[in-house]
Amino acid sequence: MHSLGRRTALVSALLALAVSQAALADDGFSYRFSGFGTLGYVQTNTNDLTFLNPGQEKGATKSGSLLVDSRLGAQVDVNFNDQLSATVQGLAQQDAKGQFEPTLEWAFLRYKPLDSVSVRVGRLGWPAYLVSDYRYVGYANPWLRAPLEVYDLAVLDYFDGGDVTWTHALGPGTVSVQVLAGSADTDLPDTSQQTAKLGVHQLYGGYVTYDIGDFHLRGGASTAHIDYTSGSTAPLFAGLQQAGFGSIADSLEANNKRATFVSLGGTYDAHNILATAEYGALHSSSFLARNNGWYGTLGYHFGSWTPYVTYGGTNKPSEVNSYGVPAFGPLLPLSQGVDALVSHTYQHTTSLGVRWDVYKNIDIKAQLDHVTPSANGGDFADVSPTYDGHSVNVYSAVVDFVF
């Protein structure tokens, strides 16, 4: 698998690569089972910060971790006839409690009233990112992990609801227009004793995908009302209310606040050249404020080997001047707490990696990330009070497989 022409053709089969597939009757009923997984190890060169993936509690420092990138998934596809089918996918990976627990990622019915129209209802993957359809299938992706500068912006993998997709030829390519609606509830890391709760309600979105030759493009936006409750931020908001800064607390709290996420990405993979780039931007009228990220990847295929380089960045502008809690006396802790929520955050990462396709369904990847976070740690967690803003090296290796 050495070009996106071949890789994209395989992607549709990656989640449905059958070890068993049977047509059980003449009426078109059939099923197929498939699976995928990653065994990974990651280590950094510091104990001042903790490296982890979005939605995880436990990460890697100098001591290293097998929990950050390791996962195992399975999927069953059932075709009842040419129009009606069902898909169920389960995924086990580290969750917000730091446990390796299985979750139900997908569980939907698909109905095709026309060849060009597909209607799905149930638990669906949120299609905001370029590789949303196969983000956790490491074998389908060029990098060791999706660049966190973009994929850490909006921590939502799936939603409960429905979508409609219309596909049609457009010029020399094919365009797909997808609209969705639904809601979601998910746990996020907070403290060692409890998780934070993210509620996404009245979720609506629209995405356009265009495939033309060896180019694949996707872009669109989602908007929703969000609720975020956290044991870490609740004392700060309560303190602001008691100190007479109720309007600031109400402004900062993510309590039924509107959030919008916009994304655009594209990939070219042909003639031994791999190039992909993506941009995402989150806007919310809460302490989440404005945040944007981007990355670009360039690689080259040498037989079964694909070395690549990625450069990405994320930036959250400062909102400190928007809030006027005096920084003196008993108000100092409140002022510091507000500043910590809305201060300028950024991060830049240069990644060097290589993929080796060992077998038709197995690859090995190694990646070095040189990360320069802001003084508050960027996308890292558990920032030590002694952290002085130094760069961090992240060393990773994985084995990806599908079956």
Side-chain angles (χ1 to χ4, degrees):
M1 187 172 63
H2 309 306
S3 73
L4 187 61
R6 284 172 287 174
R7 187 171 67 83
T8 302
L10 182 59
V11 160
S12 62
L14 285 174
L15 298 180
L17 185 64
V19 293
S20 62
Q21 179 175 348
L24 302 180
D26 293 336
D27 59 2
F29 181 89
S30 66
Y31 74 91
R32 54 190 177 183
F33 170 81
S34 60
F36 57 91
T38 295
L39 177 62
Y41 179 80
V42 57
Q43 180 179 343
T44 74
N45 66 339
T46 182
N47 289 321
D48 291 336
L49 306 163
T50 299
F51 176 84
L52 38 69
N53 280 319
Q56 294 182 340
E57 167 66 18
K58 298 178 181 178
T61 57
K62 280 186 175 181
S63 60
S65 173
L66 289 167
L67 280 176
V68 174
D69 292 308
S70 297
R71 62 183 61 92
L72 182 65
Q75 180 170 320
V76 176
D77 297 282
V78 179
N79 293 315
F80 300 101
N81 52 50
D82 290 340
Q83 293 180 304
L84 185 63
S85 63
T87 296
V88 176
Q89 183 188 106
L91 178 65
Q93 62 179 350
Q94 187 198 162
D95 60 15
K97 298 178 181 178
Q99 301 173 348
F100 199 85
E101 295 285 349
T103 58
L104 185 65
E105 290 286 303
W106 299 349
F108 60 83
L109 286 172
R110 184 200 307 268
Y111 178 65
K112 296 190 67 173
L114 302 170
D115 289 341
S116 60
V117 177
S118 173
V119 181
R120 301 187 302 171
V121 178
R123 175 160 290 184
L124 307 168
W126 187 43
Y129 294 113
L130 187 63
V131 299
S132 288
D133 296 338
Y134 47 92
R135 173 181 176 181
Y136 294 117
V137 186
Y139 185 75
N141 293 301
W143 340 267
L144 186 142
R145 70 179 67 85
L148 299 185
E149 281 72 21
V150 170
Y151 285 76
D152 201 13
L153 291 175
V155 188
L156 182 65
D157 290 331
Y158 55 78
F159 68 98
D160 298 319
D163 66 9
V164 178
T165 302
W166 173 75
T167 303
H168 195 269
L170 179 63
T174 301
V175 64
S176 294
V177 180
Q178 179 183 11
V179 294
L180 62 89
S183 62
D185 291 286
T186 187
D187 292 338
L188 295 176
D190 192 7
T191 67
S192 58
Q193 291 79 30
Q194 63 184 3
T195 60
K197 306 293 183 181
L198 175 66
V200 181
H201 311 292
Q202 301 179 44
L203 170 66
Y204 303 101
Y207 294 89
V208 178
T209 302
Y210 189 53
D211 291 290
I212 175 172
D214 296 305
F215 289 93
H216 174 76
L217 306 171
R218 172 181 280 182
S222 288
T223 186
H225 290 280
I226 62 171
D227 295 306
Y228 179 81
T229 57
S230 163
S232 298
T233 57
L236 172 62
F237 298 145
L240 289 170
Q241 294 282 0
Q242 294 172 1
F245 296 98
S247 60
I248 293 179
D250 293 339
S251 177
L252 289 172
E253 280 190 286
N255 183 11
N256 197 31
K257 296 291 182 65
R258 171 71 63 180
T260 300
F261 184 70
V262 178
S263 57
L264 176 65
T267 298
Y268 172 82
D269 197 339
H271 308 293
N272 293 338
I273 297 174
L274 163 68
T276 183
E278 193 169 6
Y279 171 83
L282 174 69
H283 183 271
S284 171
S285 54
S286 69
F287 76 91
L288 298 175
R290 295 173 290 122
N291 203 352
N292 62 84
W294 55 270
Y295 71 84
T297 296
L298 184 63
Y300 195 86
H301 303 295
F302 296 93
S304 60
W305 295 84
T306 305
Y308 59 88
V309 59
T310 300
Y311 183 68
T314 185
N315 182 60
K316 178 182 177 181
S318 173
E319 301 281 341
V320 170
N321 293 331
S322 301
Y323 303 95
V325 180
F328 59 82
L331 296 179
L332 180 59
L334 294 179
S335 177
Q336 292 174 334
V338 170
D339 288 352
L341 281 183
V342 300
S343 63
H344 184 202
T345 300
Y346 63 85
Q347 179 171 297
H348 292 93
T349 301
T350 301
S351 302
L352 297 176
V354 62
R355 169 181 176 144
W356 175 32
D357 285 281
V358 181
Y359 194 60
K360 63 181 180 181
N361 62 338
I362 300 173
D363 74 50
I364 297 175
K365 298 186 186 121
Q367 185 170 304
L368 165 63
D369 303 307
H370 182 72
V371 189
T372 305
S374 52
N376 53 13
D379 288 335
F380 288 85
D382 302 327
V383 182
S384 169
T386 61
Y387 174 63
D388 59 4
H390 63 76
S391 298
V392 179
N393 289 332
V394 181
Y395 314 100
S396 309
V398 301
V399 177
D400 299 314
F401 54 90
V402 295
F403 56 90

